[in-house]
Amino acid sequence: MKKLTVLALSLTLLGFGSVQAHAQAKNTKAKTTKTAKKPAKKATPAKTEAQATSEDAPTVEQLTAGTSTPQSPKMRSEITTTIINNNAADLLTSPVKGLPTPAVSVSDVENVPTVHTPANKAGTILLDTTLMDEFITVVSPNARHYPPSFPNPTAEYLATQNVKHLADWIEPYASAPDASFDVVLRAAKLNGIARNLNVGTEYSVRASNHMQKALRLNPEHPEANFLLGMMISEAGGFNEGKKYLEKAAALGYTEAEQSLAQSDLLTDNKEGALNRLRQLQTQHPDNAQIAEQLRIIEEGGYYIWRSNNKTPLNIKSVSQE
């Protein structure tokens, strides 16, 4: 199955299949009764609020009950149905008196393979994350780090609207007790971007919760370690974030080394940042971003994730329905 994207044709369909089943943890009152003394039970580790909420949330199977096809968010400019009007005239073949024959051209037709991602740990339920993955890929260079950097206000506005709706859409699935690692990691990325775009405090909390949940599911995953370390460091927790960034770097994640250089720079260790990036450049001599980051530091800059790319971003706007 493939997704057809038409960029030059002004056809816009609206439709956003949002899932709004988001459960909240139930508050229960402890009951006290007068009974004979019993041997004390062994203490069990206290659960964090995020873990308790996740365990009380609906399962992925409950969220998708009654559906037979993979669920997916709908975005504007995605032609998902064929429109047929038997009473309409085809102006290309049946000229109308007084109206000029229109000239229509279609360009930039793109076939994007559909991505089906396991929603639950068992892998028995799938989500269609094609549009979500495309959005993350397009926007990450501009909003993966804080502060974000966009070529123009319109691109930043569209990115903000998109990430809010996509993060809200995937939230029930990522919060489910049987959520797959792949779904949780996507939720971590989306909420991390939302945090950087100042969408709201709720998204910052979600980002942290999902990043930690991803590490509980897969402690040795390079990007999961990087995401948590990056978020902590960019919030000012350099020492705490460094542990996760160093682990990601040891696992071969190049961007973690760059984030460590940024931390060095912001803790008045300019030489450490330069040495780290120079060593990284010898390993990746064709990486233009590392070369640009070295130039920024050598010219007295303190923020190495600045983007000088003014190329317009192809960001499709999300349906508000």
Side-chain angles (χ1 to χ4, degrees), residues 5 30 33 46 97 109 161 164 210 214 223 264 277:
T5 303
T33 57
K97 186 177 181 179
V109 177
Q161 296 302 307
K164 181 179 185 300
H210 292 317
E223 189 175 21
D264 287 339
L277 287 177

Side-chain angles (χ1 to χ4, degrees), residues 100-260:
T101 301
V104 179
S105 63
V106 177
S107 62
D108 295 320
V109 177
E110 180 184 8
N111 291 305
V112 180
T114 299
V115 178
H116 284 162
T117 300
N120 57 344
K121 294 176 184 177
T124 55
I125 299 173
L126 301 176
L127 296 181
D128 184 342
T129 59
T130 308
L131 303 178
M132 182 179 298
D133 290 355
E134 182 183 18
F135 169 78
I136 292 173
T137 299
V138 170
V139 174
S140 286
N142 300 83
R144 184 171 169 97
H145 296 271
Y146 186 84
S149 175
F150 284 89
N152 54 65
T154 300
E156 183 168 355
Y157 172 79
L158 288 176
T160 301
Q161 296 302 307
N162 278 1
V163 76
K164 181 179 185 300
H165 285 283
L166 290 173
D168 288 347
W169 183 87
I170 203 173
E171 180 62 19
Y173 298 104
S175 297
D178 57 340
S180 72
F181 170 79
D182 290 327
V183 164
V184 174
L185 188 65
R186 283 170 169 81
K189 292 179 183 180
L190 288 168
N191 282 281
I193 292 173
R195 167 190 173 275
N196 293 339
L197 287 168
N198 298 314
V199 174
T201 304
E202 176 185 359
Y203 298 87
S204 298
V205 175
R206 285 185 193 173
S208 177
N209 289 342
H210 292 317
M211 289 172 190
Q212 293 181 64
K213 184 175 180 179
L215 284 176
R216 289 197 299 271
L217 292 171
N218 191 347
E220 300 302 312
H221 193 271
E223 189 175 21
N225 278 280
F226 163 73
L227 289 172
L228 183 57
M230 172 188 66
M231 188 181 76
I232 295 173
S233 294
E234 291 183 355
F238 302 113
N239 290 333
E240 179 67 19
K242 187 176 182 180
K243 297 185 296 185
Y244 297 100
L245 290 175
E246 287 181 338
K247 184 171 183 178
L251 291 168
Y253 206 78
T254 302
E255 196 173 349
E257 286 283 7
Q258 293 169 278
S259 282
L260 284 167

Side-chain angles (χ1 to χ4, degrees), residues 64-129:
T64 56
T67 62
S68 57
T69 58
Q71 299 297 293
S72 67
K74 299 296 188 297
M75 300 174 75
R76 289 176 182 168
S77 301
E78 300 303 324
I79 302 175
T80 57
T81 58
T82 302
I83 300 176
I84 299 176
N85 188 338
N86 295 326
N87 297 321
D90 186 347
L91 298 181
L92 295 177
T93 58
S94 304
V96 177
K97 186 177 181 179
L99 291 178
T101 301
V104 179
S105 63
V106 177
S107 62
D108 295 320
V109 177
E110 180 184 8
N111 291 305
V112 180
T114 299
V115 178
H116 284 162
T117 300
N120 57 344
K121 294 176 184 177
T124 55
I125 299 173
L126 301 176
L127 296 181
D128 184 342
T129 59

